[in-house]
Structure formats: C-alpha cells, structure tokens
Amino acid sequence: QIMRNMFSKTLFECASENPEIYIVVADISPAGPMMDFQTNHPERFINVGVAEQTMIGMCAGLALKGCQPFAYTIATFTLYRPFEMVRDDLGYQNLPVTIVGMGAGVIYSTLGGTHHTMEDIAVASAIPNMRVLAPCDPLELVEATKYCAYQKEGPVYLRIGKAGEPNFTDKASEPFEFGKIRFIREGTDVCILSYGPIMAKAMAVADALEVDGKSVSVISAHTLKPLDRPGIKAALLGHQQVIVIEEHVPEGGLSSRVKQIAWDIKATCRLDTFTLKDEFIHNYGSTDDLLAAHGISVPLILEQVS
C-alpha cells in the first residue's frame, strides 16, 4: 500500500461525489490516482508550479466561494514555505482548507534537510483554529481524507507518508474517530502511543515486548490537535509503563504533550519518549539509517524501555 496513492484514490472518489472538492498542487506532476483526478475533473485540478504562497491563497479564495480545497505537495513546501499565508489566509479566517503534508518526517532521507519535515506538528498546532491529523497507515488515511473532504469547521493539516506503509488498523479494536485516540491492540502492562508511518517501529517494539511476556497496548494518536486528553489520561493511569514513539523533534510534538498531561494528573507510570533529536543530522542514507542516527530503531528503543 502506498499512502500518497491511497490519499489520491480516496480524494478522487470523494471529488466524484462532491463537486465542491478542488485540489491545488505546487509543482507535483500527477501520477497514479492523482492522474484520474486531473483527467476526470480538470477544472478542479490546479497546478500553480513552484508558487506555494499562491497555492495557499488560491485555496483560501476557493473556500470563501464555498468550495472544499486541498493544498498538496511535499510537506516542507505546503507548510513552511507559505507559512504566513497558512496562518493569515487559512487560520485567521478559519477556512475549511486541508493542507496535505506529503512525505513528512524524514521519509525523503536522501534529499536532505530541505525535505525533512521534522517540526510540522509543532508549527501547525501553534496556529489558532488549525487541526492536525496524522494517520498511521493507508486504511486510517482513507478515513482521515473522508473527514477532511466533508468537514466545514476550519483548516486541517493532514500529515501523510509516501510509500510502502503496511496496514495495522485492519484488526483495530476501535474505529477511527476524529479527535479520539484509537486502540489498535489492547494490553494491560505497557502502552505504546504513536502516529504516522513510524507506527511500524511501534508495532515491532510491541511484538518484541510481548515475546518477553508483557501485555502491550498500541494506540494510534492520529489526531494531534485537538488532542484527546481524556483518552491519554486513561492510557497513563491504566498501564505501568507508557512509551511514546514519534518522528518529530522533541519540542511541541506528542511526547511533550503526554508529559504535560502526566504531570497534570500526577500519573505514576514509567514514561519513556522517543523523538527525533533537536538537530539536523547530516548523514546520507535510507529513512531507517536517518531514524537510527536520531536514536529511533527497534533495538535502541528496546534497550531503553526494558
């Protein structure tokens, strides 16, 4: 399964039902299901080229006319480059535009720091009115895209992977619901909280801990804002150990927020958090190589949590 293809396929299906849906892209040549959108709804597919500020402004204008626009390109260029427009055109006016950050985290490992989206949860969450969604697999992405295609509450930052993400939620014990954490597995001893494609590492850690005789819960915290405080509180109070694994810098991601909640409720569980380091790491290699350099690999995590 390829996350970005599942996004394109789902959006195309939604757009075929809902004539208000537009997609504005910045210099991304349509491939796969995105080509279906362009071929079947050419008047609603707009490529502005390398003009990301224009992409956001155009989405704002479409939303003011009652349309349901999506801004789509590589995550660093949908959120960072046009940041002022995202804040003023979308946040300030509270418009129902979805900013799609494709290939977020360090997925574009070999393209360097310009393509590493390490701070996006913090940046997007800081904007008033902005909501933040980061599905963990292609199936959850389908649900998140459908939510974005019909909601009229305001702007959303949708953080998605790029390629080769397996499905984990096909046997999830709870359905997807915006604003609520979701148990993928339920256990009693250890709870792992994660979101986005890094969920693959979380599941591998859970498997290893279960071999060790632990009963492990795995939770998808797909909605980072608004964060499900009651759900996280219950997870902290219901397990002896809680582990957060995220592909994001230490500041302003899920880890720092879970720590805040743990302090507020005087939680007594052990809490271990794994994030990207607070640095740009200049090494060339695969996504896994880069994550390991940041301290995120299954052996490194197991070494610290057991």
Side-chain angles (χ1 to χ4, degrees), residues 125-203:
S125 297
I127 302 171
N129 293 325
M130 185 66 68
R131 281 153 307 138
V132 179
L133 267 171
C136 74
D137 68 2
L139 284 175
E140 210 169 64
L141 175 58
V142 170
E143 300 295 330
T145 304
K146 286 177 179 171
Y147 168 81
C148 293
Y150 292 97
Q151 67 83 29
K152 287 290 186 188
E153 288 166 49
V156 180
Y157 175 63
L158 176 63
R159 180 196 229 230
I160 72 173
K162 179 172 161 259
E165 294 86 6
N167 278 315
F168 303 111
T169 58
D170 45 349
K171 298 184 184 72
S173 45
E174 294 183 309
F176 173 89
E177 187 186 340
F178 176 82
K180 293 271 183 279
I181 61 168
R182 177 190 196 189
F183 278 88
I184 297 176
R185 277 190 201 176
E186 297 199 47
T188 51
D189 301 327
V190 181
C191 177
I192 303 177
L193 284 155
S194 192
Y195 60 89
I198 200 81
M199 182 60 83
K201 299 260 189 278
M203 295 299 269

Side-chain angles (χ1 to χ4, degrees), residues 251-271:
E251 301 298 326
L254 182 63
S255 297
S256 55
R257 293 180 206 181
V258 170
K259 286 175 184 170
Q260 284 174 349
I261 295 167
W263 170 261
D264 291 344
I265 65 169
K266 299 176 173 59
T268 56
C269 61
R270 174 176 168 177
L271 180 54

Side-chain angles (χ1 to χ4, degrees), residues 46-253:
I46 302 161
N47 188 347
V48 299
V50 285
E52 291 82 0
Q53 288 102 333
T54 303
M55 171 180 70
I56 299 297
M58 200 174 273
C59 283
L62 285 164
L64 287 167
K65 288 288 183 187
C67 301
Q68 194 81 9
F70 284 70
Y72 179 83
T73 188
I74 294 169
T76 46
F77 308 123
T78 37
L79 185 63
Y80 299 170
R81 189 175 290 171
F83 177 75
E84 187 186 359
M85 291 72 196
V86 170
R87 178 185 182 269
D88 297 352
D89 297 357
L90 308 185
Y92 183 57
Q93 302 190 92
N94 200 23
L95 297 175
V97 173
T98 301
I99 300 157
V100 185
M102 187 268 288
V106 294
I107 290 171
Y108 281 103
S109 55
T110 54
L111 296 184
T114 55
H115 286 58
H116 298 168
T117 320
M118 298 157 52
E119 329 80 342
D120 55 333
I121 304 296
V123 167
S125 297
I127 302 171
N129 293 325
M130 185 66 68
R131 281 153 307 138
V132 179
L133 267 171
C136 74
D137 68 2
L139 284 175
E140 210 169 64
L141 175 58
V142 170
E143 300 295 330
T145 304
K146 286 177 179 171
Y147 168 81
C148 293
Y150 292 97
Q151 67 83 29
K152 287 290 186 188
E153 288 166 49
V156 180
Y157 175 63
L158 176 63
R159 180 196 229 230
I160 72 173
K162 179 172 161 259
E165 294 86 6
N167 278 315
F168 303 111
T169 58
D170 45 349
K171 298 184 184 72
S173 45
E174 294 183 309
F176 173 89
E177 187 186 340
F178 176 82
K180 293 271 183 279
I181 61 168
R182 177 190 196 189
F183 278 88
I184 297 176
R185 277 190 201 176
E186 297 199 47
T188 51
D189 301 327
V190 181
C191 177
I192 303 177
L193 284 155
S194 192
Y195 60 89
I198 200 81
M199 182 60 83
K201 299 260 189 278
M203 295 299 269
V205 169
D207 290 342
L209 291 173
E210 286 189 335
V211 170
D212 259 1
K214 296 269 172 62
S215 170
V216 185
S217 294
V218 180
I219 288 175
S220 170
H222 49 70
T223 306
L224 280 312
K225 186 188 175 189
L227 193 59
D228 180 5
R229 286 183 70 93
I232 287 172
K233 177 181 174 180
L236 288 164
L237 296 176
H239 300 83
Q240 294 141 15
Q241 183 177 14
V242 174
I243 300 164
V244 183
I245 301 172
E246 63 178 327
E247 196 173 339
H248 187 272
V249 293
E251 301 298 326

Side-chain angles (χ1 to χ4, degrees), residues 249-304:
V249 293
E251 301 298 326
L254 182 63
S255 297
S256 55
R257 293 180 206 181
V258 170
K259 286 175 184 170
Q260 284 174 349
I261 295 167
W263 170 261
D264 291 344
I265 65 169
K266 299 176 173 59
T268 56
C269 61
R270 174 176 168 177
L271 180 54
D272 295 280
T273 60
F274 296 88
T275 66
L276 299 176
K277 290 179 180 173
D278 181 27
E279 57 186 88
F280 290 104
I281 292 181
H282 298 258
N283 84 338
Y284 185 87
S286 69
T287 303
D288 275 349
D289 292 336
L290 195 52
L291 287 171
H294 275 283
I296 299 178
S297 73
V298 175
L300 286 168
I301 292 169
L302 289 169
E303 196 181 309
Q304 286 190 53

